[in-house]
Amino acid sequence: YLILQDEETRKDYDYMLDHPEEYYRHYYHYYSRRLAPKVDVRLVILVTVCAISVFQFFSWWNSYNEAINYLATVPKYRIQATEIARQQGLLNKTKEKGKNRRSKEEIREEEEEIIKDIIKNKIDIKGGYQKPKIYDILLFQILLAPFYLCKYIGWYCWWIYCFTIKGQEYGVEEKLYIIRRFMKMSKSQFDSLEEHQKETFLERQLWIRENYEVYKREQEEELKKKMAMDPRWKRYRRWMKNEGPGRLTFMDD
């Protein structure tokens, strides 16, 4: 009865009656259905996506805190943050006397936290170490995928209408977008570049394909020169020439 009440197992049973010689096949279908997990696949996918999203968020927070800790050790940013803290009177509060007097270690830790907070508020970190946003994790990216798709289609139609049909001139954002596409960089990678680099791109009109190809060849030649002058690269080439990464030889006994 347990076999015949289910449509799938009933089909297997009918097939067994028609093909009794396929002994091992019947065993395989029987145990594969009996031992198959009963958990809904959609629930498994949802839990997996949520787990990945949580890991993403905390991993990005860790990278962001590492970037803040590093900037707090850079003299340029540390001096500026310390000056702002003095102007706001935050450092004076850490050196209270009397009953509220604390040890030098506690004062140093509190001053360090004040400097880090100022760096967080004053410096806009871009790229892979920027402050994490809840909408960037995988779960929200999947939920917002239809919105992003519609937004991209609308933007693409606007681009075709303005610059292909009407022949308008590119603005600064459009020029930087074309340059980024030529360089095959993601938005976060391109945003992490210094402003003077972007200004150089615009001055050299790299949104024009011919100008970008010239710039690309120049960068390749410059890289070759640097590698040729680098003593480590010279040692590597000498090693590759004389010994190599390892050779497979066949020697007679």
Side-chain angles (χ1 to χ4, degrees):
Y1 176 73
L2 292 175
I3 292 175
L4 298 180
Q5 72 176 351
D6 184 80
E7 184 177 352
E8 295 297 327
T9 55
R10 188 188 185 98
K11 289 181 181 179
D12 291 341
Y13 181 74
D14 293 338
Y15 185 86
M16 182 193 69
L17 295 179
D18 296 335
H19 305 82
E21 71 282 359
E22 298 183 15
Y23 182 81
Y24 293 105
R25 184 179 186 279
H26 303 321
Y27 263 89
Y28 168 75
H29 279 279
Y30 171 75
Y31 283 107
S32 63
R33 294 189 184 281
R34 184 168 183 174
L35 300 177
K38 305 301 181 181
V39 182
D40 191 349
V41 177
R42 293 171 295 181
L43 180 61
V44 174
I45 294 174
L46 178 61
V47 172
T48 304
V49 171
C50 291
I52 294 174
S53 301
V54 171
F55 175 79
Q56 269 185 328
F57 189 74
F58 284 103
S59 176
W60 286 344
W61 261 114
N62 185 49
S63 299
Y64 175 70
N65 289 328
E66 287 180 358
I68 295 297
N69 292 335
Y70 170 74
L71 292 176
T73 61
V74 177
K76 174 184 175 182
Y77 301 109
R78 189 176 185 85
I79 292 172
Q80 292 179 359
T82 304
E83 186 62 28
I84 294 174
R86 284 201 184 96
Q87 293 175 0
Q88 296 178 355
L90 298 176
L91 295 181
N92 297 330
K93 295 179 181 179
T94 62
K95 300 178 181 179
E96 296 176 350
K97 298 181 180 180
K99 295 182 180 180
N100 298 326
R101 187 175 182 179
R102 287 161 293 175
S103 64
K104 293 183 178 180
E105 186 65 26
E106 292 176 341
I107 294 174
R108 190 181 302 110
E109 291 178 358
E110 187 172 348
E111 289 179 351
E112 193 70 21
E113 290 299 323
I114 291 173
I115 291 173
K116 289 179 181 179
D117 289 339
I118 292 175
I119 292 176
K120 288 179 182 179
N121 296 327
K122 297 296 182 181
I123 297 179
D124 183 19
I125 301 176
K126 297 180 180 179
Y129 293 91
Q130 64 183 354
K131 189 175 183 179
K133 299 178 181 177
I134 192 69
Y135 295 107
D136 291 336
I137 63 176
L138 179 61
L139 178 61
F140 282 94
Q141 289 293 307
I142 293 174
L143 295 176
L144 296 174
F147 169 75
Y148 290 139
L149 179 61
C150 295
K151 184 178 178 181
Y152 175 78
I153 292 174
W155 173 85
Y156 186 75
C157 293
W158 169 82
W159 183 281
I160 295 296
Y161 174 75
C162 290
F163 304 115
T164 303
I165 298 176
K166 296 185 67 176
Q168 295 181 3
E169 293 186 1
Y170 295 126
V172 175
E173 293 298 326
E174 289 76 23
K175 292 175 182 177
L176 291 175
Y177 170 77
I178 296 173
I179 294 171
R180 178 171 68 84
R181 297 288 292 183
F182 284 164
M183 293 183 172
K184 297 179 181 179
M185 299 174 67
S186 65
K187 190 175 186 306
S188 60
Q189 290 174 327
F190 194 79
D191 290 342
S192 63
L193 297 177
E194 298 291 340
E195 290 300 325
H196 67 85
Q197 291 179 288
K198 298 178 183 178
E199 292 175 1
T200 303
F201 297 159
L202 295 173
E203 289 174 0
R204 299 195 58 173
Q205 299 182 353
L206 297 188
W207 66 89
I208 302 174
R209 171 67 72 173
E210 293 77 10
N211 296 342
Y212 174 73
E213 293 298 333
V214 173
Y215 172 81
K216 183 179 179 181
R217 287 194 296 269
E218 291 177 358
Q219 293 297 309
E220 291 174 352
E221 291 296 328
E222 185 177 349
L223 179 61
K224 289 179 181 178
K225 291 179 181 179
K226 289 183 179 179
M227 294 175 67
M229 298 300 294
D230 189 352
R232 291 177 298 178
W233 179 248
K234 288 182 179 179
R235 288 196 299 268
Y236 174 75
R237 286 187 300 173
R238 193 181 308 116
W239 176 77
M240 289 292 292
K241 181 180 179 181
N242 297 331
E243 301 179 18
R247 297 174 183 175
L248 181 64
T249 58
F250 295 90
M251 300 179 65
D252 296 332
D253 294 335

